[in-house]
Amino acid sequence: MFRRYWVVLSVILAAVLVVSFFAFAVEQADKDAILNELSAYMDKNPMVLRDLIFSMASRYESENNLDKAILLYEKAVNMGIDDRDIYNRLLGLYEWAQKFDKVEAQIRKLITMAPEDSSLYGKLADVLDKVGKKEDSKRAWQEYLEKV
């Protein structure tokens, strides 16, 4: 009787484990199928992710995790999401993190996207001045004054 009890219990436990394994496998297969479909759709239109990226990055920022937010925006840019708002957010994060070499590069990208935005030239001049590039800063101020 005692041995029979353990055999029955073992069989029931094995059945539960097998059923849960198959349920997990089905769930994982469904997740994989959805991810594959999303991946194919994103390859055609990467801008679909824009709002999701903003949401996730904002969450990282609120948690004061600047590196994760920066990395997320950089990945978005590398994926081909060519959006001025993302470049502006990335610029703000670089400034906040005091990564002035990246701030300079980001401002230059924004200037190529919107050369008519005179405020960018002033920002560039300020950053160049902060990092000690006085001559470049003067040229940026001259460009700024020409645009205004």
Side-chain angles (χ1 to χ4, degrees):
M1 176 81 173
F2 184 71
R3 187 181 285 229
R4 185 175 169 187
Y5 171 76
W6 285 109
V7 169
V8 169
L9 187 60
S10 297
V11 168
I12 290 173
L13 182 60
V16 168
L17 289 175
V18 167
V19 167
S20 63
F21 173 75
F22 285 119
F24 174 76
V26 168
E27 278 184 26
Q28 191 60 40
D30 288 344
K31 288 178 186 176
D32 290 343
I34 289 171
L35 289 175
N36 287 335
E37 190 171 331
L38 284 172
S39 179
Y41 188 70
M42 288 182 316
D43 288 343
K44 294 176 188 170
N45 184 8
M47 290 298 286
V48 168
L49 289 178
R50 183 183 177 279
D51 292 336
L52 178 61
I53 289 167
F54 277 122
S55 176
M56 288 175 63
S58 293
R59 186 166 156 243
Y60 289 143
E61 289 174 47
S62 70
E63 294 169 354
N64 206 23
N65 198 339
L66 300 183
D67 291 334
K68 278 190 175 181
I70 287 171
L71 189 60
L72 186 61
Y73 284 128
E74 287 174 343
K75 286 179 182 178
V77 169
N78 291 337
M79 281 178 53
I81 300 177
D82 196 29
D83 183 81
R84 188 167 175 202
D85 292 333
I86 286 181
Y87 285 111
N88 280 326
R89 297 283 288 278
L90 198 49
L91 172 61
L93 288 170
Y94 286 149
E95 287 174 326
W96 197 9
Q98 297 184 348
K99 297 181 179 187
F100 295 114
D101 56 328
K102 292 192 175 195
V103 170
E104 178 186 347
Q106 198 65 28
I107 293 172
R108 290 188 188 281
K109 283 180 195 173
L110 284 165
I111 288 173
T112 60
M113 292 177 87
E116 72 283 351
D117 187 349
S118 60
S119 68
L120 292 172
Y121 296 93
K123 276 186 175 186
L124 180 61
D126 285 340
V127 169
L128 292 170
D129 192 49
K130 282 181 186 176
V131 296
K133 297 180 179 179
K134 303 295 181 191
E135 290 303 313
D136 292 338
S137 176
K138 286 179 187 176
R139 277 193 295 276
W141 277 118
Q142 287 170 346
E143 287 182 54
Y144 172 73
L145 292 174
E146 289 172 8
K147 296 288 181 184
V148 177

